[in-house]
Amino acid sequence: MLICMRCGEKKNSHWFPEHITTWCCWCNRCKRTPSGMMPLPQCEQDRRAEK
Ligand SMILES: [Zn+2]
């Protein structure tokens, strides 16, 4: 489990980019949200396919 530093949600790592850095741990949903906006609703495109 990882905690997003932008939305503060704790969720499984497949909602995060494959290579995350500890100083900027943002989920995929927050990464595609323009700055200054409320986070977009999380949807299926934010889920990273597990290999
Ligand atoms: Zn987030």
Side-chain angles (χ1 to χ4, degrees):
M1 298 287 274
L2 293 165
I3 297 174
C4 174
M5 289 176 70
R6 183 166 179 188
C7 66
E9 286 181 19
K10 183 179 180 184
K11 42 199 172 186
N12 287 316
S13 58
H14 60 239
W15 293 108
F16 290 80
E18 189 164 8
H19 301 289
I20 54 163
T21 54
T22 51
W23 48 268
C24 188
C25 180
W26 283 14
C27 62
N28 289 330
R29 183 262 303 264
C30 288
K31 278 186 176 288
R32 68 184 171 85
T33 303
S35 59
M37 280 182 60
M38 289 293 287
L40 299 164
Q42 185 165 268
C43 64
E44 204 54 38
Q45 74 178 86
D46 297 323
R47 179 191 289 270
R48 179 165 50 81
E50 301 279 7
K51 294 199 181 77

